[in-house]
Amino acid sequence: MAKGPGLYTDIGKKARDLLYRDYQSDQKLSITTYSTTGAVLSTSATKKGELLLADVGTQLKHGKATVDVKVDTASNLLGTITVDEAAPGVKSILSFKVPDERSTKLELQYLHDYAGINTSVGLTANPTINFSGVLGTSVASLGTDVSFDTKTGNFTKYNAGLSFTNADLIASLAVNEKGNVLNASYYHLLSPLTNSAVGAEVTHNFSTNENTITVGTQHALDPLTTVKARANNSGKVHALIQHEWRPKSLFTISGEVDTKAVDKTAKLGLALSLKP
């Protein structure tokens, strides 16, 4: 297990990755190449129904600094400048989006053996300030995540969560959306050799008194091929198979079926990621 409790976003992450990561109903192609100078060039295209979205980006590294720049089909320019170890244990991230002048944000992350802190502030007049912090160890941790809008003087977000981890089991409990949603998740690694695992997530909405239950599993058929499946109490079943046909290059087929509306056409998603 990693040292320290990590960041607030790490609470429940294993279960979320098992249940939701790599599933999609669109067609996506991404290509990454590396220049002789070490620059990373990437491009991706996603077809959502009749809509085609694409972007082109590059990544440059110099010492502890990493610069990412991306341009998409909506004529947006997205940039991120990351400096690792700006101070001992501290990572600084400056991000912006053009032409959205309110998107510029400075973020600081600090990781310690017994704490993980992430704070960000918009570099504009009347910015939104976000703070998340976790206290504990790699076994048990407790954290909170809040956002404050200095323009309105209101808290726009306040969440809290706790996590328990041992060698093969991770359980978490979180209160989100200003106390309106209770979320509990569970991840259990059954076999490290085949990466077999099961997971579950239960969400209760206090305002609607509705419960959402999602369960899932994954298993590696061989070192290069993984299958995953999940289902929820609304009757939707998802499955995927992912194959690493060459190092770091992945081909994924995923599908969705609504068992309560079998007359509807099943959704099919394809994703191809190419890396040298």
Side-chain angles (χ1 to χ4, degrees), residues 122-176:
L123 300 184
T124 61
N126 303 316
T128 296
I129 301 173
N130 180 263
F131 172 85
S132 66
V134 179
L135 296 176
T137 66
S138 58
V139 175
S141 61
L142 174 67
T144 186
D145 181 24
V146 297
S147 289
F148 180 75
D149 189 337
T150 59
K151 184 176 182 179
T152 63
N154 296 322
F155 284 95
T156 58
K157 176 176 65 173
Y158 40 86
N159 305 324
L162 56 89
S163 178
F164 172 79
T165 305
N166 68 13
D168 58 1
L169 184 148
I170 302 174
S172 67
L173 182 68
V175 179
N176 300 316

Side-chain angles (χ1 to χ4, degrees), residues 26-263:
D26 307 311
Q27 289 74 51
K28 182 176 181 179
L29 171 65
S30 60
I31 301 174
T32 303
T33 59
Y34 301 86
S35 70
T36 55
T37 60
V40 181
L41 304 175
S42 62
T43 181
S44 68
T46 303
K47 189 174 185 297
K48 295 178 175 288
E50 299 300 322
L51 184 64
L52 180 63
L53 305 174
D55 60 66
V56 177
T58 184
Q59 182 185 89
L60 303 173
K61 291 186 177 183
H62 179 73
K64 297 180 180 180
T66 303
V67 179
D68 290 275
V69 179
K70 182 183 294 184
V71 180
D72 62 25
T73 49
S75 299
N76 294 312
L77 174 66
L78 299 91
T80 304
I81 302 174
T82 304
V83 180
D84 285 314
E85 293 295 320
V90 177
K91 176 189 291 187
S92 62
I93 304 170
L94 176 66
S95 60
F96 59 88
K97 179 180 179 180
V98 179
D100 184 2
E101 60 182 19
R102 287 186 56 85
S103 66
T104 304
K105 180 176 68 174
L106 177 63
E107 180 179 352
L108 296 176
Q109 296 179 359
Y110 173 69
L111 291 174
H112 184 269
D113 288 350
Y114 302 104
I117 297 174
N118 188 329
T119 183
S120 66
V121 57
L123 300 184
T124 61
N126 303 316
T128 296
I129 301 173
N130 180 263
F131 172 85
S132 66
V134 179
L135 296 176
T137 66
S138 58
V139 175
S141 61
L142 174 67
T144 186
D145 181 24
V146 297
S147 289
F148 180 75
D149 189 337
T150 59
K151 184 176 182 179
T152 63
N154 296 322
F155 284 95
T156 58
K157 176 176 65 173
Y158 40 86
N159 305 324
L162 56 89
S163 178
F164 172 79
T165 305
N166 68 13
D168 58 1
L169 184 148
I170 302 174
S172 67
L173 182 68
V175 179
N176 300 316
E177 297 185 19
K178 301 180 180 180
N180 186 51
V181 175
L182 180 66
N183 181 279
S185 65
Y186 163 84
Y187 172 89
H188 188 190
L189 180 63
L190 302 176
S191 172
L193 294 178
T194 59
N195 199 27
S196 299
V198 295
E201 180 184 66
V202 179
T203 300
H204 177 74
N205 189 305
F206 291 101
S207 62
T208 62
N209 201 32
E210 293 182 351
N211 294 312
T212 302
I213 303 172
T214 306
V215 296
T217 185
Q218 71 179 23
H219 176 73
L221 300 177
D222 57 53
L224 302 177
T225 308
T226 298
V227 293
K228 295 174 64 176
R230 79 166 191 258
N232 61 26
N233 60 330
S234 65
K236 291 186 178 181
V237 179
H238 299 74
L240 71 78
I241 181 169
Q242 185 175 77
H243 180 67
E244 186 177 13
W245 58 282
R246 58 176 295 176
K248 299 181 181 180
S249 294
L250 303 173
F251 178 62
T252 307
I253 302 176
S254 56
E256 174 190 329
V257 175
D258 189 345
T259 59
K260 295 184 178 180
V262 292
D263 55 318

